[in-house]
Amino acid sequence: MLQKTKPLGVLLTLIAVLFSPSLLASSAETMDLTSHGIGYAALMFFAVAYCLVMLEDVIHLRKSKPVLVAAGIIWAMIGFYYSQHGMSHDAEAAFRHNLLEYSELFFFLLVAMTYINAMEERQLFNALRAWMVNKGFTLRYIFWLTGILAFFISPIADNLTTALLMCAIVMKVGGKNSKFIALACINIVVAANAGGAFSPFGDITTLMVWQKGMVQFGTFFSLFIPAVVNFLVPAIIMSFFVSKEVAQSDGEVVHMKRGAKRIVMLFLITIAFAVLGHSVLGMPPVLGMMTGLGILQFFAFFLRKTHKSYYSGAIANTNDTVEHERLRYLGDGAVFDIFTKVAKAEWDTLLFFYGVVLCVGGLGFIGYLGMISEAMYTQWDPTYANVTVGLLSAIVDNIPVMFAVLSMQPDMSTGQWLLVTLTAGVGGSMLSIGSAAGVALMGQARGIYTFAAHIRWTPVIALGYVASIFTHLWLNSALF
């Protein structure tokens, strides 16, 4: 066994010596590695990994892979250093703390993704898309409708799913009108990000703030008006450049599968379980979410067991030709299987989140987050620091940015925590690469909605960003 572990120890020793010859002679009391080789190496590995993440669409490398490797290397170096000083238990405890934080968010997001996948499989979103396409609305009306729906759906569903659904509608009705499609996609990205900012379920960053206990559930809705302002300011300006021509309908008919509406109700009940469990019982929200997953599994069992008998009886009792065909089509479909919905969760995103949490947690344990917190939240005014966080999230994914802020645990008022939640949520709208919704739509509307198309409207989006901040500072001044 000693021979198996020796190469790893030698490798880590070489890294340590290479970057800091005095590493093992440093003080074991403070364990501040920010000026040692371990710290510099950790920064380098994280920077390289994140560069690969940002180049995902260019090199076609899944974003989870580099951060998973970087997290392993960072904590291996930390573990080696602490074991050399007889403090391996401290490193282990720190790692377990970060792992526990991730696991709560992981299971919460897994349940939410499973519900969204179940709704999608039951044709709920496709039915909504077909209804909108066949109504014969004008392009300007579609521009506003998709934006408003994105704003109000994203607080419940995630902003990525919402953006993809609305973009599918825009692509259908837009046809060859690339100008309309580009403007509508920009509007959808801004709306989806803004809508997710005022709900604990709307974005991973808001979920992190809520689960950490920095802001109570009901207090998030104080951001509703600022979020509306963030969406409306650029939307109003861009709408003047959208044509009023009538959208073309393709006559597509989509039938929702049995149980679609009941799954929506179960999802709302599951959210209620999470909220009440956290606010009334003081339990982590993940408890309510996992309970809701169990209920969905029971409902899936019910649908599977009654599938054949239900459709056989319904087909036999109808004389309407159209209804007969609809029932036959739905009855011939595959039965509902809950574990296929779990399998279709965004595993790359979930694993990416693990890598980010552990990387940032490792950098925080080394001491870098303390340095940044001292610089930003002690030497700067917290308002300026939180506005800067939003600007940074337009370049770097808001998940590591928000996790870093939470790890710093700056002493801020509720109003300031709401401000950083708002800016981290909507700041990514200023660039197409600043949010998951923007990156996804660049792939879906490839060649039409591009980085260049988005950045032309960045000044308008920035105007909404600034307006939403001032609105929050004014309306919620009592929380500061």
Side-chain angles (χ1 to χ4, degrees):
M1 184 173 180
L2 184 61
Q3 290 179 343
K4 290 181 181 178
T5 57
K6 188 176 180 181
L8 178 60
V10 171
L11 175 61
L12 294 174
T13 302
L14 287 174
I15 293 175
V17 172
L18 177 64
F19 283 92
S20 180
S22 62
L23 180 61
L24 297 180
S26 61
S27 172
E29 295 179 0
T30 61
M31 291 311 209
D32 182 359
L33 306 180
T34 54
S35 58
H36 286 289
I38 291 277
Y40 298 141
L43 284 176
M44 180 191 70
F45 283 119
F46 182 66
V48 171
Y50 216 82
C51 285
L52 293 175
V53 170
M54 295 176 69
L55 293 172
E56 179 185 13
D57 287 340
V58 178
I59 61 178
H60 304 293
L61 178 71
R62 295 278 189 175
K63 61 180 177 290
S64 61
K65 297 177 182 178
V67 290
L68 286 174
V69 174
I73 294 173
I74 289 171
W75 279 101
M77 291 191 298
I78 291 173
F80 173 74
Y81 177 77
Y82 272 70
S83 67
Q84 293 297 304
H85 289 74
M87 301 176 66
S88 58
H89 177 73
D90 297 87
E92 179 191 4
F95 179 84
R96 289 184 182 277
H97 173 75
N98 284 278
L99 185 63
L100 177 61
E101 288 195 354
Y102 166 74
S103 63
E104 289 185 10
L105 290 166
F106 168 81
F107 285 111
F108 190 107
L109 293 170
L110 182 64
V111 175
M113 289 176 178
T114 301
Y115 264 102
I116 296 301
N117 289 336
M119 294 178 203
E120 187 176 12
E121 188 273 340
R122 295 286 95 181
Q123 300 277 49
L124 179 72
F125 297 136
N126 285 337
L128 174 62
R129 174 182 55 79
W131 175 80
M132 290 181 63
V133 170
N134 293 328
K135 278 296 182 179
F137 297 136
T138 65
L139 294 182
R140 184 173 291 183
Y141 192 94
I142 292 289
F143 172 88
W144 277 108
L145 188 58
T146 52
I148 292 171
L149 285 175
F151 183 85
F152 284 104
I153 293 176
S154 61
I156 302 172
D158 65 283
N159 55 3
L160 176 60
T161 301
T162 303
L164 290 173
L165 170 64
M166 295 299 115
C167 184
I169 296 169
V170 166
M171 295 287 286
K172 275 276 188 180
V173 302
K176 297 181 179 180
N177 192 332
S178 57
K179 180 182 178 181
F180 163 73
I181 294 173
L183 284 171
C185 285
I186 296 170
N187 188 47
I188 289 167
V189 170
V190 174
N193 289 337
F198 71 87
S199 165
F201 305 98
D203 192 83
I204 294 177
T205 54
T206 56
L207 177 61
M208 291 162 67
V209 173
W210 178 46
Q211 289 205 144
K212 195 76 170 178
M214 299 303 182
V215 179
Q216 297 301 311
F217 181 84
T219 311
F220 277 98
F221 297 100
S222 300
L223 292 176
F224 177 74
I225 299 300
V228 169
V229 171
N230 182 270
F231 160 55
L232 285 181
V233 170
I236 290 172
I237 296 173
M238 288 190 294
S239 67
F240 291 110
F241 296 86
V242 178
S243 170
K244 292 184 179 180
E245 66 180 276
V246 177
Q248 297 298 314
S249 170
D250 60 2
E252 180 185 13
V253 177
V254 176
H255 301 295
M256 283 193 296
K257 296 180 181 180
R258 178 174 170 240
K261 295 178 181 178
R262 280 174 284 180
I263 289 176
V264 175
M265 291 304 300
L266 289 178
F267 186 43
L268 296 176
I269 291 171
T270 298
I271 291 175
F273 283 165
V275 174
L276 293 175
H278 187 60
S279 59
V280 178
L281 303 179
M283 301 298 288
V286 67
L287 175 65
M289 295 297 287
M290 292 301 289
T291 304
L293 179 60
I295 295 173
L296 179 62
Q297 288 179 309
F298 271 105
F299 184 62
F301 176 79
F302 167 75
L303 289 179
R304 188 169 64 254
K305 286 295 184 182
T306 59
H307 181 82
K308 289 184 179 179
S309 60
Y310 173 83
Y311 284 108
S312 297
I315 290 172
N317 292 327
T318 183
N319 295 320
D320 186 279
T321 305
V322 176
E323 179 66 9
H324 183 279
E325 182 62 23
R326 185 184 75 86
L327 291 169
R328 188 195 62 78
Y329 166 77
L330 294 175
D332 289 343
V335 295
F336 188 86
D337 182 5
I338 184 63
F339 288 105
T340 61
K341 312 305 173 289
V342 175
K344 290 182 178 179
E346 297 168 33
W347 287 100
D348 183 51
T349 298
L350 292 172
L351 293 175
F352 166 73
F353 193 33
Y354 165 87
V356 165
V357 168
L358 269 297
C359 281
V360 175
L363 294 176
F365 189 62
I366 287 171
Y368 286 115
L369 296 187
M371 291 175 57
I372 298 173
S373 179
E374 175 68 23
M376 290 183 62
Y377 289 99
T378 301
Q379 299 179 18
W380 295 8
D381 185 282
T383 301
Y384 297 145
N386 291 330
V387 172
T388 303
V389 166
L391 297 175
L392 186 61
S393 69
I395 304 170
V396 181
D397 191 277
N398 59 2
I399 295 173
V401 172
M402 180 55 79
F403 186 75
V405 174
L406 290 170
S407 300
M408 296 173 199
Q409 293 187 331
D411 184 17
M412 297 193 299
S413 63
T414 300
Q416 290 292 353
W417 278 111
L418 286 173
L419 177 60
V420 73
T421 301
L422 174 68
T423 56
V426 303
S429 300
M430 285 185 279
L431 295 177
S432 60
I433 60 171
S435 66
V439 172
L441 263 57
M442 282 196 295
Q444 193 173 16
R446 190 177 300 276
I448 301 175
Y449 172 62
T450 61
F451 180 86
H454 190 107
I455 204 170
R456 282 199 290 267
W457 295 92
T458 292
V460 173
I461 300 169
L463 187 62
Y465 177 75
V466 172
S468 65
I469 291 171
F470 278 109
T471 302
H472 170 60
L473 294 175
W474 172 53
L475 284 180
N476 301 317
S477 58
L479 299 175
F480 286 84

